[in-house]
Amino acid sequence: MAEASIAGIAASEGIAIGTFFLRRKVSGDQTRVAGTMSREQALFESALAKASQSLAELMARIDASAAEILGFQFELLSDTDFLDPVFQLIGVGQKADEAWAEVIDGEIADYAAAKDEYMSARADDLRDLKRRVLGFILGTTADVFEVPEMTGLVLAATSLTPSEFLELDLGKIAGIAISEGSPTSHVSILARARGIPMLVGCGERLTGLKPGYVAVIDTQNHQLVHDPREENQSAFRVRLQTSNVAIEYASISAHLPAVTASGEHVRVYANVDDPAILLGIDAANFDGIGLTRTEFLFESGQLPDEEHQLAVYRRIVEWAAGRPVTIRTLDAGGDKLIPGVTFLDETNPFLGIRGYRLSRIRKDIFTTQLRALARAAVFGPLKVMIPMVTVSSEMDEFRTLFDEVIMSLQNEGVACAVPSLGVMIEVPAAALNADTIKADFFSIGSNDLIQYVTACARDNALLAHLAQADNPAVTKLIRIVAATGMVQGKEVSVCGDMASTPALVPLLLGAGIRSLSVAIAQGPTIKEVIRRWDGREQCGDGTSA
Ligand code: PEP
Ligand code: MG
């Protein structure tokens, strides 16, 4: 075969070289003859029971937050509203597998037709459930996950569902490429958390490639290269080796503080969007947690109750072992839609009811979260911040709400504590007026700040050339916030992707930032960049640091 390159979207950063393997699709037994109506019904019921049992077993084997992702599927298996139409179709003479496929395909189409990525992630979960139940009806389950007994595989598939990913023997997998999917799907989150390089959105050509050839996943250049020419293969191997050496080198000093060449300590915190990522990570490698995106709690299709949230927050605080932990309250809205929570009919969701704007309206959800946070604050130094703040009165209102929560917990005799309360700076108005906001700390959400300063929706790939992090206008705002923090003696960190991008870190340090919150896998590398910084780099606005 000749070298072929296929473009994809980076969902989990890294470079992988291995043997191209195409995952076999479930092939249903099309020749199965329909049994009697009651036999088809019994077959379907038994498939549901087996699917529930296999999901429960899988959920018990994996960590709690990954299990939560499967919880959505598990619930559906006993949801009569969802299952009744299948029994009705069987009742009028359809085979169990056909009835199941017809009903769930309709649901999948509805979810997939929704434009936002949250809904299409739900469609993936339904495809997963469809495959699982079909496997039990048709007796094909055994070979669904058949992956060869070899390591270093570059796994390609049309789609990959969360439970399929979790059932893979990751020791065999060097990297993954998927024809469909989006970087914000659950599978992408799981791959990132486990450091498996992954491309999504590779298109149909991907599954036309022949297995057994060498393939390279190169997320830096957003491509999969199949059967690379000898010289290209060598170049990829050199890059992989260099990247491994750099990662290994950086990891030797990962537990040491990041001190600049001039002797300044720069705090490096971890970003957490799924607590599973903390498994096996030494808390000593970070100065604490600078951002916990709590949206993961709301992704199972059910609102998490106070006890559940408390357990999760407490686990994170205990992991940090005395280091500060920053938890962001629910940041739903914009591109993070949660059915039943967010407003679905906004014409401009990024400029709409999102973040704190939504929380103050959905007081029921917000109060539950604040109660759980106030209770978690008993177990260690907790910081709580609200996203999408525009004006100072929002912070004042938040403080009042928190005081009320504390008061009612105290009245109930429930142990609680007041955490440090901060705001995310991601709206230009908040950056310009930071000096008026009475927060205990600021955390700059550069992802959103960039989209609002450059007027480019962050989910629009066609505007990527305009939505540049090094635009001097962005740096000017970051400087303003850093200077405000300096004058008022408040910590200002950056928790957007800029902080995890080695090339942009000197710019942030030059703008006066001394706290970064980064993707966990990037921690050691960012610390190395800080250690090499001599304070002389140019800032994004053309001035010298
Ligand atoms: C940001 O906007 O930079 C940020 C950290 O928040 P999110 O990416 O979750 O919107
Ligand atoms: Mg944001």
Side-chain angles (χ1 to χ4, degrees):
M1 276 195 98
E3 176 176 304
S5 156
I6 289 188
I9 304 165
S12 174
E13 295 292 334
I15 183 162
I17 305 178
T19 308
F20 189 75
F21 171 71
L22 206 50
R23 203 200 60 178
R24 218 154 19 117
K25 281 192 185 147
V26 184
S27 49
D29 178 2
Q30 306 299 337
T31 60
R32 193 175 73 82
V33 179
T36 60
M37 198 171 74
S38 56
R39 194 182 122 49
E40 290 298 310
Q41 234 162 34
L43 184 61
F44 184 54
E45 275 163 6
S46 141
L48 290 177
K50 286 178 186 160
S52 294
Q53 192 187 339
S54 68
L55 268 177
E57 282 168 8
L58 180 57
M59 285 159 75
R61 260 197 294 124
I62 57 184
D63 55 79
S65 52
E68 253 171 48
I69 290 176
L70 299 183
F72 172 63
Q73 298 180 39
F74 188 75
E75 300 285 329
L76 284 177
L77 287 172
S78 55
D79 180 337
T80 47
D81 288 346
F82 176 63
L83 298 173
D84 277 353
V86 184
F87 283 108
Q88 278 160 17
L89 287 177
I90 294 174
V92 294
Q94 264 204 30
K95 291 198 282 186
D97 47 318
E98 288 175 0
W100 168 246
E102 186 175 323
V103 170
I104 200 162
D105 279 348
E107 296 282 335
I108 292 169
D110 286 349
Y111 276 93
K115 283 203 196 89
D116 68 279
E117 298 194 341
Y118 176 82
M119 294 296 226
S120 42
R122 294 282 74 72
D124 279 349
D125 291 342
L126 287 175
R127 284 190 196 99
D128 197 11
L129 189 62
K130 173 183 171 183
R131 173 197 59 74
R132 183 175 293 274
V133 174
L134 265 187
F136 284 114
I137 298 174
L138 301 172
T140 55
T141 312
D143 55 16
V144 172
F145 302 111
E146 203 176 287
V147 170
E149 279 310 318
M150 57 190 289
T151 53
L153 291 171
V154 170
L155 176 69
T158 305
S159 62
L160 189 68
T161 61
S163 75
E164 285 172 339
F165 178 89
L166 292 166
E167 274 169 296
L168 285 170
D169 178 353
L170 292 180
K172 294 177 177 174
I173 310 292
I176 298 176
I178 306 177
S179 304
E180 301 168 355
S182 82
T184 55
S185 69
H186 282 138
V187 137
S188 303
I189 293 170
L190 293 171
R192 270 199 297 276
R194 287 151 186 80
I196 305 278
M198 182 160 95
L199 288 170
V200 294
C202 297
E204 283 172 13
R205 267 182 69 213
L206 177 72
T207 49
L209 297 173
K210 283 228 167 68
Y213 286 79
V214 170
V216 177
I217 288 184
D218 172 12
T219 61
Q220 199 178 359
N221 293 303
H222 304 272
Q223 61 171 352
L224 175 139
V225 185
H226 183 262
D227 192 18
R229 282 193 299 279
E230 202 52 48
E231 67 271 25
N232 288 346
Q233 210 181 117
S234 315
F236 281 126
R237 287 196 191 283
V238 169
R239 270 185 54 204
L240 178 61
Q241 228 167 359
T242 314
S243 134
N244 286 344
V245 168
I247 290 170
E248 234 166 89
Y249 176 77
S251 68
I252 296 170
S253 326
H255 61 292
L256 299 174
V259 179
T260 65
S262 61
E264 268 189 279
H265 178 205
V266 176
R267 290 193 179 85
V268 177
Y269 298 108
N271 280 358
V272 173
D273 26 41
D274 171 357
I277 201 169
L278 298 174
L279 290 174
I281 301 291
D282 186 352
N285 290 359
F286 294 93
D287 292 289
I289 291 175
L291 166 68
T292 307
R293 292 176 162 103
T294 55
E295 293 76 65
F296 71 88
L297 285 164
F298 295 79
E299 282 170 355
S300 71
Q302 280 195 329
L303 295 178
D305 65 21
E306 185 179 320
E307 295 304 323
H308 175 70
Q309 290 193 50
L310 171 62
V312 173
Y313 302 148
R314 181 177 172 174
R315 228 176 337 132
I316 299 173
V317 169
E318 286 177 347
W319 173 86
R323 297 172 187 84
V325 168
T326 312
I327 296 191
R328 177 176 76 185
T329 59
L330 178 65
D331 186 22
D335 58 344
K336 300 172 203 160
L337 297 185
I338 298 180
V341 176
T342 44
F343 289 64
L344 296 177
D345 53 357
E346 292 182 297
T347 50
N348 208 337
F350 277 124
L351 300 182
I353 314 288
R354 58 169 300 205
Y356 180 70
R357 300 170 181 189
L358 178 67
S359 292
R360 67 188 295 277
I361 295 174
R362 289 302 308 263
K363 284 249 176 59
D364 50 338
I365 297 173
F366 197 43
T367 304
T368 304
Q369 185 166 37
L370 297 188
R371 283 176 63 95
L373 287 166
R375 291 173 65 189
V378 169
F379 300 99
L382 189 70
K383 298 163 79 175
V384 175
M385 62 183 180
I386 46 172
M388 196 66 189
V389 164
T390 311
V391 294
S392 62
S393 59
E394 292 172 294
M395 179 65 214
D396 302 338
E397 182 185 61
F398 172 49
R399 239 183 236 290
T400 308
L401 284 174
F402 215 103
D403 285 347
E404 285 168 12
V405 161
I406 293 283
M407 209 126 60
S408 59
L409 283 168
Q410 283 170 344
N411 287 342
E412 292 164 34
V414 178
C416 61
V418 185
S420 170
L421 300 180
V423 300
M424 286 197 68
I425 301 286
E426 34 194 4
V427 174
L432 290 166
N433 293 328
D435 59 337
T436 65
I437 301 176
K438 296 188 196 74
D440 300 332
F441 66 95
F442 298 123
S443 184
I444 300 176
S446 53
N447 304 335
D448 277 313
L449 189 61
I450 294 164
Q451 86 160 338
Y452 295 127
V453 172
T454 62
C456 295
R458 62 192 272 186
D459 61 351
N460 192 333
L462 297 176
L463 299 176
H465 65 295
L466 294 177
Q468 289 296 319
D470 59 359
N471 185 315
V474 175
T475 321
K476 278 180 186 158
L477 291 177
I478 293 175
R479 271 180 176 275
I480 289 173
V481 185
T484 302
M486 185 83 84
V487 170
Q488 299 188 348
K490 292 174 185 168
E491 184 176 41
V492 178
S493 68
V494 174
C495 63
D497 289 346
M498 269 184 97
S500 302
T501 310
L504 296 174
V505 166
L507 196 130
L508 293 175
L509 297 174
I513 295 294
R514 292 294 178 269
S515 295
L516 303 171
S517 190
V518 305
I520 288 213
Q522 285 296 93
T525 307
I526 297 300
K527 280 188 166 181
E528 278 306 300
V529 174
I530 293 167
R531 291 181 187 120
R532 286 199 301 271
W533 186 65
D534 60 7
R536 280 208 302 265
E537 274 85 349
Q538 287 285 303
C539 299
D541 57 4
T543 60
S544 184

